[in-house]
Coordinates of all heavy atoms in Angstrom, one line a residue:
M21 N 14.9 28.0 -7.5 CA 14.4 27.9 -8.8 C 14.1 26.4 -9.1 O 14.8 25.5 -8.7 CB 15.4 28.4 -9.9 CG 15.0 28.1 -11.3 SD 16.2 28.9 -12.4 CE 15.1 29.1 -13.8
V22 N 12.9 26.1 -9.7 CA 12.5 24.8 -10.0 C 13.0 24.4 -11.3 O 12.8 25.0 -12.3 CB 11.0 24.7 -9.9 CG1 10.5 23.3 -10.2 CG2 10.4 25.2 -8.6
D23 N 13.7 23.3 -11.4 CA 14.2 22.8 -12.7 C 13.1 22.0 -13.4 O 12.2 21.4 -12.8 CB 15.4 21.8 -12.5 CG 16.6 22.5 -11.9 OD1 16.8 23.7 -12.2 OD2 17.4 21.8 -11.2
K24 N 13.2 22.1 -14.8 CA 12.2 21.4 -15.6 C 12.6 19.9 -15.7 O 13.8 19.6 -15.6 CB 12.2 22.0 -17.0 CG 11.5 23.3 -17.0 CD 11.4 23.8 -18.4 CE 10.3 23.1 -19.1 NZ 9.9 23.6 -20.4
I25 N 11.6 19.1 -15.8 CA 11.8 17.6 -16.0 C 11.5 17.3 -17.4 O 10.4 17.7 -17.9 CB 10.9 16.8 -15.0 CG1 11.3 17.1 -13.6 CG2 11.1 15.3 -15.3 CD1 10.4 16.5 -12.6
N26 N 12.3 16.5 -18.0 CA 12.0 16.0 -19.4 C 10.9 15.0 -19.3 O 11.2 13.9 -18.7 CB 13.3 15.4 -20.0 CG 13.0 14.9 -21.4 OD1 11.9 14.5 -21.8 ND2 14.1 15.0 -22.2
P27 N 9.7 15.2 -19.7 CA 8.6 14.3 -19.6 C 8.9 12.9 -20.1 O 8.5 11.9 -19.5 CB 7.4 14.9 -20.3 CG 7.7 16.4 -20.2 CD 9.2 16.5 -20.4
K28 N 9.5 12.8 -21.3 CA 9.7 11.5 -21.9 C 10.8 10.7 -21.1 O 10.6 9.5 -20.9 CB 10.2 11.7 -23.4 CG 9.2 12.2 -24.3 CD 9.8 12.4 -25.7 CE 8.7 13.0 -26.6 NZ 9.3 13.3 -28.0
Q29 N 11.8 11.4 -20.7 CA 12.8 10.7 -19.9 C 12.3 10.2 -18.5 O 12.5 9.1 -18.1 CB 14.0 11.7 -19.7 CG 15.2 11.0 -18.9 CD 16.3 12.0 -18.8 OE1 16.2 13.2 -19.1 NE2 17.4 11.5 -18.3
F30 N 11.5 11.1 -17.9 CA 10.9 10.7 -16.6 C 9.9 9.6 -16.7 O 9.9 8.6 -16.0 CB 10.3 11.9 -15.9 CG 9.9 11.7 -14.5 CD1 10.9 11.6 -13.5 CD2 8.6 11.5 -14.1 CE1 10.6 11.3 -12.2 CE2 8.3 11.3 -12.8 CZ 9.3 11.2 -11.8
A31 N 9.1 9.7 -17.8 CA 8.1 8.6 -18.1 C 8.8 7.3 -18.4 O 8.4 6.3 -17.8 CB 7.3 9.1 -19.3
L32 N 9.8 7.3 -19.2 CA 10.6 6.1 -19.4 C 11.2 5.5 -18.2 O 11.1 4.3 -17.9 CB 11.6 6.3 -20.5 CG 12.4 5.1 -21.0 CD1 11.5 4.1 -21.6 CD2 13.5 5.5 -22.0
T33 N 11.8 6.4 -17.4 CA 12.4 5.9 -16.1 C 11.3 5.2 -15.2 O 11.6 4.1 -14.7 CB 13.0 7.1 -15.4 OG1 14.0 7.7 -16.2 CG2 13.7 6.7 -14.1
L34 N 10.2 5.9 -15.0 CA 9.2 5.4 -14.1 C 8.6 4.1 -14.7 O 8.2 3.2 -14.0 CB 8.1 6.4 -13.9 CG 7.3 6.2 -12.6 CD1 8.2 6.1 -11.4 CD2 6.3 7.4 -12.4
G35 N 8.4 4.1 -16.1 CA 7.9 2.9 -16.7 C 8.8 1.7 -16.6 O 8.3 0.6 -16.2
V36 N 10.1 1.9 -16.7 CA 11.0 0.8 -16.6 C 11.0 0.3 -15.1 O 11.1 -0.9 -14.8 CB 12.4 1.2 -17.1 CG1 13.5 0.1 -16.7 CG2 12.4 1.3 -18.6
L37 N 11.0 1.2 -14.2 CA 11.0 0.9 -12.8 C 9.7 0.1 -12.4 O 9.8 -1.0 -11.7 CB 11.1 2.1 -11.9 CG 11.1 1.9 -10.4 CD1 12.3 1.1 -9.9 CD2 11.0 3.3 -9.7
A38 N 8.6 0.5 -12.9 CA 7.3 -0.2 -12.6 C 7.3 -1.6 -13.2 O 6.9 -2.6 -12.6 CB 6.1 0.6 -13.1
A39 N 7.8 -1.7 -14.4 CA 7.9 -3.0 -15.1 C 8.9 -3.9 -14.4 O 8.6 -5.1 -14.2 CB 8.4 -2.8 -16.6
A40 N 10.0 -3.4 -13.9 CA 11.0 -4.2 -13.2 C 10.4 -4.7 -11.9 O 10.6 -5.9 -11.5 CB 12.2 -3.4 -12.9
I41 N 9.7 -3.9 -11.1 CA 9.1 -4.3 -9.9 C 8.0 -5.4 -10.2 O 8.0 -6.4 -9.4 CB 8.4 -3.1 -9.2 CG1 9.5 -2.2 -8.6 CG2 7.5 -3.6 -8.1 CD1 9.0 -0.8 -8.2
H42 N 7.2 -5.3 -11.2 CA 6.3 -6.3 -11.5 C 6.9 -7.6 -12.0 O 6.5 -8.7 -11.7 CB 5.2 -5.8 -12.5 CG 4.3 -4.8 -11.9 ND1 4.5 -3.5 -11.8 CD2 3.0 -5.1 -11.4 CE1 3.4 -2.9 -11.3 NE2 2.6 -3.9 -10.9
A43 N 8.0 -7.4 -12.8 CA 8.7 -8.6 -13.2 C 9.3 -9.4 -12.0 O 9.3 -10.6 -12.0 CB 9.8 -8.2 -14.2
I44 N 9.9 -8.7 -11.1 CA 10.4 -9.3 -9.9 C 9.3 -10.0 -9.1 O 9.5 -11.1 -8.6 CB 11.2 -8.3 -9.0 CG1 12.5 -7.8 -9.7 CG2 11.5 -8.8 -7.6 CD1 13.1 -6.6 -9.1
W45 N 8.2 -9.3 -9.0 CA 7.0 -9.9 -8.3 C 6.6 -11.3 -8.9 O 6.5 -12.3 -8.2 CB 5.8 -9.0 -8.3 CG 4.6 -9.6 -7.8 CD1 3.5 -10.0 -8.6 CD2 4.2 -9.9 -6.5 NE1 2.5 -10.5 -7.8 CE2 2.9 -10.5 -6.5 CE3 4.8 -9.7 -5.2 CZ2 2.2 -10.9 -5.4 CZ3 4.1 -10.2 -4.1 CH2 2.9 -10.7 -4.2
V46 N 6.5 -11.3 -10.3 CA 6.0 -12.6 -10.9 C 7.1 -13.6 -10.8 O 6.7 -14.8 -10.7 CB 5.5 -12.3 -12.3 CG1 4.3 -11.4 -12.4 CG2 6.6 -11.8 -13.3
I47 N 8.4 -13.3 -10.9 CA 9.4 -14.3 -10.7 C 9.4 -14.9 -9.3 O 9.4 -16.1 -9.1 CB 10.8 -13.6 -11.0 CG1 10.9 -13.3 -12.5 CG2 11.9 -14.6 -10.5 CD1 12.1 -12.5 -12.9
L48 N 9.2 -14.0 -8.3 CA 9.2 -14.5 -6.9 C 7.9 -15.4 -6.7 O 8.0 -16.4 -6.0 CB 9.2 -13.3 -5.9 CG 10.5 -12.6 -5.8 CD1 10.4 -11.4 -5.0 CD2 11.6 -13.5 -5.3
I49 N 6.8 -15.0 -7.3 CA 5.6 -15.8 -7.2 C 5.8 -17.1 -7.8 O 5.3 -18.2 -7.3 CB 4.4 -15.0 -7.8 CG1 4.0 -13.8 -6.9 CG2 3.2 -16.0 -7.9 CD1 3.5 -14.2 -5.5
G50 N 6.4 -17.1 -9.0 CA 6.7 -18.4 -9.7 C 7.5 -19.3 -8.9 O 7.4 -20.5 -9.0
I51 N 8.5 -18.8 -8.1 CA 9.4 -19.6 -7.3 C 8.9 -19.9 -5.9 O 9.0 -21.1 -5.5 CB 10.8 -18.9 -7.3 CG1 11.4 -18.8 -8.7 CG2 11.7 -19.7 -6.4 CD1 12.6 -17.9 -8.7
F52 N 8.3 -18.9 -5.3 CA 8.0 -19.1 -3.9 C 6.5 -18.9 -3.6 O 6.1 -18.2 -2.6 CB 8.7 -18.0 -3.0 CG 10.2 -18.1 -3.2 CD1 10.9 -17.1 -3.8 CD2 10.9 -19.2 -2.6 CE1 12.3 -17.2 -3.9 CE2 12.3 -19.3 -2.8 CZ 13.0 -18.3 -3.4
S53 N 5.6 -19.3 -4.4 CA 4.2 -19.0 -4.2 C 3.6 -19.4 -2.8 O 2.8 -18.7 -2.2 CB 3.3 -19.6 -5.3 OG 3.4 -21.0 -5.3
D54 N 4.0 -20.6 -2.3 CA 3.5 -21.0 -1.0 C 4.0 -20.1 0.1 O 3.2 -19.7 1.0 CB 4.0 -22.5 -0.7 CG 3.3 -23.5 -1.6 OD1 2.3 -23.2 -2.1 OD2 3.9 -24.6 -1.7
S55 N 5.2 -19.7 0.1 CA 5.7 -18.8 1.1 C 5.1 -17.4 1.0 O 4.8 -16.8 2.1 CB 7.2 -18.6 1.0 OG 7.9 -19.8 1.1
F56 N 4.8 -16.9 -0.2 CA 4.2 -15.7 -0.4 C 2.7 -15.7 0.1 O 2.2 -14.7 0.7 CB 4.3 -15.2 -1.8 CG 5.5 -14.4 -2.1 CD1 6.8 -14.9 -1.8 CD2 5.4 -13.2 -2.7 CE1 7.9 -14.2 -2.1 CE2 6.6 -12.5 -3.0 CZ 7.8 -13.0 -2.7
Q57 N 2.1 -16.8 -0.1 CA 0.7 -16.9 0.4 C 0.6 -16.8 1.9 O -0.2 -16.1 2.4 CB 0.0 -18.2 -0.1 CG -1.4 -18.4 0.3 CD -2.3 -17.4 -0.4 OE1 -2.3 -17.3 -1.6 NE2 -3.0 -16.5 0.4
K58 N 1.6 -17.5 2.6 CA 1.6 -17.4 4.0 C 1.9 -16.0 4.5 O 1.4 -15.5 5.5 CB 2.6 -18.4 4.6 CG 2.2 -19.8 4.4 CD 3.3 -20.8 4.9 CE 3.0 -22.2 4.5 NZ 4.1 -23.1 4.8
S59 N 2.8 -15.3 3.8 CA 3.2 -13.9 4.1 C 2.0 -13.0 4.0 O 1.7 -12.1 4.8 CB 4.3 -13.4 3.3 OG 5.5 -14.2 3.5
I60 N 1.3 -13.1 2.9 CA 0.1 -12.3 2.6 C -1.0 -12.5 3.7 O -1.6 -11.6 4.2 CB -0.4 -12.5 1.2 CG1 0.5 -11.9 0.2 CG2 -1.8 -11.9 1.0 CD1 0.2 -12.2 -1.3
D61 N -1.2 -13.8 4.0 CA -2.2 -14.1 5.0 C -1.8 -13.5 6.4 O -2.6 -12.9 7.1 CB -2.3 -15.6 5.2 CG -3.0 -16.3 4.0 OD1 -3.5 -15.6 3.1 OD2 -2.9 -17.5 3.9
W62 N -0.5 -13.6 6.7 CA 0.0 -13.0 8.0 C -0.2 -11.5 8.0 O -0.6 -11.0 9.0 CB 1.5 -13.4 8.2 CG 2.0 -12.9 9.4 CD1 1.9 -13.5 10.7 CD2 2.9 -11.8 9.6 NE1 2.5 -12.7 11.6 CE2 3.2 -11.7 11.0 CE3 3.4 -10.9 8.7 CZ2 4.0 -10.7 11.5 CZ3 4.2 -9.9 9.2 CH2 4.5 -9.8 10.6
I63 N 0.2 -10.8 6.9 CA 0.0 -9.4 6.8 C -1.4 -9.0 7.0 O -1.7 -8.0 7.8 CB 0.6 -8.8 5.5 CG1 2.1 -9.0 5.5 CG2 0.2 -7.4 5.3 CD1 2.7 -8.7 4.1
F64 N -2.4 -9.7 6.4 CA -3.8 -9.3 6.6 C -4.2 -9.5 8.1 O -4.9 -8.7 8.7 CB -4.7 -10.2 5.7 CG -4.9 -9.6 4.4 CD1 -4.2 -10.0 3.3 CD2 -5.9 -8.6 4.2 CE1 -4.4 -9.4 2.0 CE2 -6.1 -8.0 3.0 CZ -5.4 -8.4 1.9
M65 N -3.8 -10.7 8.7 CA -4.2 -10.9 10.1 C -3.6 -9.9 11.0 O -4.2 -9.6 12.0 CB -3.8 -12.4 10.4 CG -4.7 -13.4 9.7 SD -4.4 -15.1 10.3 CE -2.8 -15.5 9.6
M66 N -2.3 -9.4 10.7 CA -1.7 -8.4 11.6 C -2.5 -7.1 11.5 O -2.5 -6.3 12.5 CB -0.3 -8.2 11.2 CG 0.7 -9.3 11.5 SD 0.7 -9.8 13.2 CE 1.5 -8.3 13.9
H67 N -3.2 -6.9 10.5 CA -4.1 -5.7 10.3 C -5.5 -6.0 10.8 O -6.4 -5.2 10.5 CB -4.0 -5.2 8.9 CG -2.7 -4.6 8.5 ND1 -1.7 -5.3 8.0 CD2 -2.3 -3.3 8.6 CE1 -0.7 -4.5 7.8 NE2 -1.0 -3.3 8.1
L68 N -5.7 -7.1 11.4 CA -7.0 -7.5 11.9 C -8.0 -7.7 10.8 O -9.2 -7.4 10.9 CB -7.6 -6.5 13.0 CG -6.6 -6.3 14.2 CD1 -7.2 -5.2 15.1 CD2 -6.3 -7.6 14.9
L69 N -7.6 -8.2 9.7 CA -8.4 -8.4 8.5 C -8.3 -9.9 8.1 O -7.3 -10.6 8.3 CB -7.9 -7.6 7.3 CG -7.9 -6.1 7.4 CD1 -7.2 -5.4 6.3 CD2 -9.3 -5.6 7.5
A70 N -9.4 -10.4 7.6 CA -9.4 -11.8 7.1 C -8.7 -11.8 5.8 O -8.9 -11.0 4.9 CB -10.9 -12.3 7.0
P71 N -7.8 -12.8 5.6 CA -7.2 -12.9 4.3 C -8.2 -13.1 3.2 O -9.1 -14.0 3.3 CB -6.3 -14.2 4.5 CG -6.1 -14.3 5.9 CD -7.4 -13.8 6.6
V72 N -8.1 -12.3 2.2 CA -9.1 -12.4 1.1 C -8.4 -12.7 -0.3 O -9.2 -13.0 -1.2 CB -9.8 -11.1 0.9 CG1 -10.7 -10.8 2.2 CG2 -8.9 -9.9 0.7
Y73 N -7.1 -12.8 -0.4 CA -6.5 -13.0 -1.6 C -5.8 -14.4 -1.6 O -5.2 -14.8 -0.6 CB -5.4 -12.0 -1.9 CG -6.0 -10.6 -2.1 CD1 -5.8 -9.6 -1.2 CD2 -6.7 -10.3 -3.3 CE1 -6.4 -8.4 -1.4 CE2 -7.2 -9.1 -3.5 CZ -7.1 -8.1 -2.5 OH -7.6 -6.9 -2.7
D74 N -5.9 -15.1 -2.7 CA -5.2 -16.4 -2.9 C -4.3 -16.2 -4.1 O -4.7 -15.8 -5.1 CB -6.2 -17.5 -3.2 CG -7.1 -17.9 -2.0 OD1 -6.5 -17.9 -0.9 OD2 -8.2 -18.3 -2.2
I75 N -3.1 -16.6 -3.9 CA -2.1 -16.6 -5.0 C -2.4 -17.9 -5.9 O -2.4 -19.0 -5.4 CB -0.7 -16.7 -4.5 CG1 -0.4 -15.4 -3.7 CG2 0.3 -16.9 -5.6 CD1 1.0 -15.3 -3.1
T76 N -2.6 -17.6 -7.1 CA -3.0 -18.7 -8.0 C -1.8 -19.3 -8.7 O -0.6 -18.8 -8.5 CB -3.9 -18.2 -9.2 OG1 -3.3 -17.1 -9.9 CG2 -5.2 -17.6 -8.6
Q77 N -2.0 -20.3 -9.5 CA -0.9 -21.0 -10.2 C -0.2 -20.0 -11.1 O -0.9 -19.2 -11.8 CB -1.4 -22.2 -10.9 CG -0.3 -23.0 -11.6 CD -0.9 -24.2 -12.2 OE1 -2.1 -24.4 -12.2 NE2 -0.1 -25.1 -12.7
F78 N 1.1 -20.1 -11.2 CA 1.9 -19.2 -12.1 C 1.4 -19.4 -13.6 O 1.2 -20.5 -14.0 CB 3.4 -19.5 -12.0 CG 4.2 -18.6 -12.8 CD1 4.5 -17.3 -12.4 CD2 4.7 -19.0 -14.1 CE1 5.3 -16.5 -13.2 CE2 5.4 -18.2 -14.9 CZ 5.8 -16.9 -14.4
N79 N 1.2 -18.2 -14.2 CA 0.8 -18.2 -15.6 C 1.7 -17.3 -16.4 O 1.7 -16.1 -16.1 CB -0.6 -17.8 -15.8 CG -1.2 -17.9 -17.2 OD1 -0.6 -17.3 -18.1 ND2 -2.3 -18.5 -17.3
L80 N 2.5 -17.8 -17.3 CA 3.5 -16.9 -18.0 C 2.8 -15.8 -18.8 O 3.3 -14.7 -18.9 CB 4.4 -17.8 -19.0 CG 5.5 -17.0 -19.7 CD1 6.4 -16.3 -18.8 CD2 6.2 -18.0 -20.7
G81 N 1.7 -16.1 -19.4 CA 1.0 -15.1 -20.2 C 0.5 -13.9 -19.3 O 0.7 -12.8 -19.7
Y82 N 0.0 -14.3 -18.2 CA -0.5 -13.2 -17.2 C 0.8 -12.4 -16.7 O 0.7 -11.2 -16.5 CB -1.2 -13.8 -16.1 CG -2.6 -14.2 -16.4 CD1 -3.3 -15.2 -15.6 CD2 -3.3 -13.7 -17.5 CE1 -4.6 -15.6 -15.9 CE2 -4.6 -14.2 -17.8 CZ -5.2 -15.1 -17.0 OH -6.5 -15.5 -17.3
A83 N 1.9 -13.1 -16.5 CA 3.1 -12.5 -16.0 C 3.6 -11.5 -17.0 O 4.0 -10.3 -16.7 CB 4.1 -13.5 -15.7
I84 N 3.5 -11.8 -18.3 CA 4.0 -10.9 -19.3 C 3.0 -9.7 -19.4 O 3.5 -8.6 -19.5 CB 4.1 -11.6 -20.7 CG1 5.3 -12.6 -20.6 CG2 4.3 -10.7 -21.8 CD1 5.3 -13.6 -21.8
I85 N 1.7 -10.0 -19.4 CA 0.8 -8.9 -19.5 C 0.9 -8.0 -18.3 O 0.9 -6.7 -18.5 CB -0.7 -9.5 -19.6 CG1 -0.9 -10.2 -20.9 CG2 -1.7 -8.4 -19.4 CD1 -2.2 -11.0 -21.0
L86 N 1.1 -8.5 -17.1 CA 1.3 -7.7 -15.9 C 2.5 -6.8 -16.0 O 2.4 -5.6 -15.7 CB 1.4 -8.5 -14.7 CG 1.7 -7.8 -13.4 CD1 0.5 -6.9 -13.0 CD2 2.0 -8.7 -12.3
T87 N 3.6 -7.3 -16.5 CA 4.8 -6.5 -16.7 C 4.6 -5.4 -17.7 O 5.0 -4.3 -17.5 CB 6.0 -7.5 -17.1 OG1 6.1 -8.5 -16.1 CG2 7.3 -6.7 -17.1
I88 N 4.0 -5.7 -18.8 CA 3.7 -4.7 -19.9 C 2.8 -3.6 -19.3 O 3.0 -2.4 -19.5 CB 3.1 -5.4 -21.1 CG1 4.2 -6.2 -21.8 CG2 2.6 -4.3 -22.1 CD1 3.7 -7.1 -22.9
L89 N 1.7 -4.0 -18.7 CA 0.8 -3.0 -18.1 C 1.4 -2.2 -17.0 O 1.1 -1.0 -16.9 CB -0.5 -3.7 -17.6 CG -1.4 -4.3 -18.7 CD1 -2.6 -5.0 -18.0 CD2 -1.9 -3.2 -19.6
G90 N 2.3 -2.8 -16.3 CA 3.1 -2.1 -15.3 C 3.9 -1.0 -15.9 O 4.0 0.1 -15.5
F91 N 4.6 -1.3 -17.1 CA 5.4 -0.4 -17.8 C 4.5 0.8 -18.3 O 4.8 2.0 -18.1 CB 6.1 -1.0 -19.0 CG 6.8 0.0 -19.8 CD1 8.0 0.5 -19.5 CD2 6.2 0.5 -21.0 CE1 8.6 1.5 -20.3 CE2 6.8 1.4 -21.8 CZ 8.0 1.9 -21.4
I92 N 3.4 0.4 -18.9 CA 2.5 1.4 -19.5 C 1.9 2.4 -18.4 O 1.9 3.6 -18.5 CB 1.3 0.8 -20.2 CG1 1.8 0.1 -21.5 CG2 0.2 1.8 -20.6 CD1 0.8 -0.8 -22.2
G93 N 1.5 1.8 -17.2 CA 1.0 2.6 -16.1 C 2.1 3.5 -15.6 O 1.9 4.7 -15.3
G94 N 3.3 3.0 -15.4 CA 4.4 3.8 -15.0 C 4.8 4.9 -15.9 O 5.1 6.0 -15.5
Y95 N 4.8 4.6 -17.2 CA 5.1 5.6 -18.3 C 4.1 6.7 -18.2 O 4.5 7.9 -18.2 CB 5.2 4.9 -19.6 CG 5.7 5.8 -20.7 CD1 7.0 5.8 -21.0 CD2 4.9 6.7 -21.4 CE1 7.5 6.7 -22.0 CE2 5.3 7.6 -22.4 CZ 6.7 7.5 -22.7 OH 7.2 8.4 -23.6
V96 N 2.8 6.4 -18.3 CA 1.8 7.4 -18.3 C 1.9 8.2 -17.0 O 1.8 9.5 -17.0 CB 0.4 6.8 -18.4 CG1 -0.7 7.8 -18.2 CG2 0.3 6.2 -19.8
S97 N 2.0 7.6 -15.8 CA 2.1 8.3 -14.6 C 3.3 9.2 -14.6 O 3.3 10.4 -14.1 CB 2.2 7.3 -13.4 OG 1.1 6.5 -13.3
G98 N 4.5 8.7 -15.1 CA 5.7 9.6 -15.1 C 5.5 10.8 -16.0 O 6.0 11.9 -15.7
W99 N 4.9 10.6 -17.1 CA 4.7 11.7 -18.1 C 3.8 12.8 -17.4 O 4.1 13.9 -17.5 CB 4.1 11.2 -19.4 CG 4.0 12.3 -20.4 CD1 5.0 12.6 -21.3 CD2 2.9 13.1 -20.7 NE1 4.6 13.6 -22.1 CE2 3.3 14.0 -21.8 CE3 1.6 13.2 -20.2 CZ2 2.5 14.9 -22.3 CZ3 0.8 14.2 -20.7 CH2 1.2 15.0 -21.7
V100 N 2.7 12.3 -16.8 CA 1.8 13.2 -16.1 C 2.5 14.0 -15.0 O 2.3 15.2 -14.9 CB 0.5 12.5 -15.6 CG1 -0.3 13.4 -14.7 CG2 -0.3 12.0 -16.8
I101 N 3.2 13.3 -14.2 CA 3.9 13.9 -13.1 C 4.9 15.0 -13.6 O 5.0 16.1 -13.1 CB 4.7 12.9 -12.2 CG1 3.7 12.0 -11.4 CG2 5.7 13.5 -11.3 CD1 4.3 10.8 -10.8
A102 N 5.7 14.7 -14.7 CA 6.6 15.6 -15.2 C 5.9 16.8 -15.8 O 6.4 18.0 -15.6 CB 7.5 14.9 -16.3
V103 N 4.8 16.6 -16.5 CA 4.1 17.8 -17.1 C 3.5 18.7 -16.0 O 3.7 19.9 -16.0 CB 3.0 17.3 -18.0 CG1 2.1 18.4 -18.4 CG2 3.6 16.7 -19.3
V104 N 3.0 18.1 -15.0 CA 2.4 18.8 -13.8 C 3.5 19.6 -13.1 O 3.4 20.7 -12.7 CB 1.6 18.0 -12.9 CG1 1.2 18.7 -11.6 CG2 0.3 17.4 -13.6
W105 N 4.7 18.9 -12.9 CA 5.8 19.5 -12.2 C 6.3 20.7 -13.0 O 6.5 21.8 -12.4 CB 6.9 18.5 -12.1 CG 8.2 19.0 -11.5 CD1 9.2 19.7 -12.1 CD2 8.5 19.0 -10.1 NE1 10.2 20.0 -11.3 CE2 9.8 19.6 -10.0 CE3 7.9 18.5 -9.0 CZ2 10.4 19.8 -8.8 CZ3 8.6 18.6 -7.8 CH2 9.8 19.3 -7.7
N106 N 6.4 20.6 -14.3 CA 6.9 21.7 -15.1 C 5.9 22.8 -15.1 O 6.2 24.0 -15.1 CB 7.2 21.2 -16.6 CG 8.4 20.3 -16.6 OD1 9.2 20.3 -15.7 ND2 8.4 19.5 -17.6
W107 N 4.6 22.5 -15.2 CA 3.6 23.5 -15.1 C 3.6 24.3 -13.8 O 3.5 25.5 -13.7 CB 2.2 22.9 -15.4 CG 1.1 23.8 -15.1 CD1 0.6 24.8 -16.0 CD2 0.3 23.9 -13.9 NE1 -0.5 25.5 -15.4 CE2 -0.7 25.0 -14.2 CE3 0.3 23.3 -12.7 CZ2 -1.6 25.3 -13.2 CZ3 -0.7 23.6 -11.8 CH2 -1.6 24.6 -12.0
A108 N 3.7 23.5 -12.7 CA 3.7 24.1 -11.4 C 5.0 25.0 -11.2 O 4.9 26.0 -10.6 CB 3.7 23.0 -10.3
G109 N 6.1 24.5 -11.8 CA 7.3 25.3 -11.7 C 7.1 26.7 -12.4 O 7.7 27.7 -11.9
K110 N 6.4 26.7 -13.5 CA 6.2 27.9 -14.2 C 5.3 28.9 -13.4 O 5.6 30.1 -13.3 CB 5.4 27.6 -15.6 CG 6.3 27.8 -16.8 CD 5.4 27.8 -18.0 CE 5.5 26.5 -18.7 NZ 4.8 26.5 -20.0
C111 N 4.3 28.3 -12.8 CA 3.4 29.1 -12.0 C 4.0 29.7 -10.8 O 3.7 30.8 -10.3 CB 2.2 28.3 -11.5 SG 1.1 27.8 -12.9
C112 N 5.0 29.0 -10.2 CA 5.6 29.4 -8.9 C 6.7 30.4 -9.1 O 7.1 31.1 -8.2 CB 6.2 28.2 -8.2 SG 4.9 27.1 -7.6
R113 N 7.2 30.5 -10.3 CA 8.3 31.5 -10.6 C 7.8 32.9 -10.7 O 8.6 33.8 -10.6 CB 9.0 31.1 -11.9 CG 10.0 30.0 -11.7 CD 10.8 29.8 -13.0 NE 10.5 28.4 -13.3 CZ 10.5 27.9 -14.6 NH1 10.7 28.7 -15.6 NH2 10.2 26.7 -14.8
K114 N 6.6 33.1 -10.9 CA 6.1 34.5 -11.0 C 6.0 35.2 -9.7 O 6.0 34.8 -8.7 CB 4.7 34.4 -11.6 CG 4.7 33.9 -13.0 CD 3.3 33.9 -13.6 CE 3.3 33.3 -15.0 NZ 2.0 33.2 -15.6

């Protein structure tokens, strides 16, 4: 039997997780931007690709916007996943 997922709870969980990941990213970029640039360049070269991204100077405004948008994207994705899961569970029980 497929259990139902509470869409609001799952959406909030995924939203907070996405926001946390983005917050950690901007904190690490703020502290270690030079090391991260070298890591990104190395990852691209290992995939036989030319590095195309440059890490720019840390900007607190962009960091806040990224974290908020990460939460919104995670929340919406979580809600959609839960609704589809519940719908698919109803269809499969028949």
Side-chain angles (χ1 to χ4, degrees):
M21 177 173 201
V22 178
D23 293 332
K24 287 183 76 171
I25 297 175
N26 180 332
K28 290 179 185 176
Q29 184 179 7
F30 191 72
L32 184 60
T33 301
L34 203 56
V36 169
L37 179 64
I41 289 169
H42 284 88
I44 291 168
W45 169 257
V46 297
I47 289 168
L48 290 173
I49 291 297
I51 298 171
F52 303 110
S53 62
D54 291 339
S55 299
F56 271 51
Q57 183 65 57
K58 291 175 186 173
S59 298
I60 289 173
D61 292 347
W62 181 78
I63 290 168
F64 271 99
M65 289 187 291
M66 291 300 296
H67 289 87
L68 306 175
L69 299 169
V72 294
Y73 295 107
D74 289 325
I75 294 177
T76 59
Q77 185 176 5
F78 181 81
N79 182 309
L80 183 60
Y82 287 156
I84 291 169
I85 292 169
L86 176 66
T87 304
I88 291 170
L89 290 176
F91 173 80
I92 292 169
Y95 188 93
V96 170
S97 298
W99 188 86
V100 169
I101 290 167
V103 168
V104 170
W105 177 273
N106 292 337
W107 171 81
K110 253 194 254 185
C111 292
C112 294
R113 279 185 241 151
K114 294 180 180 178

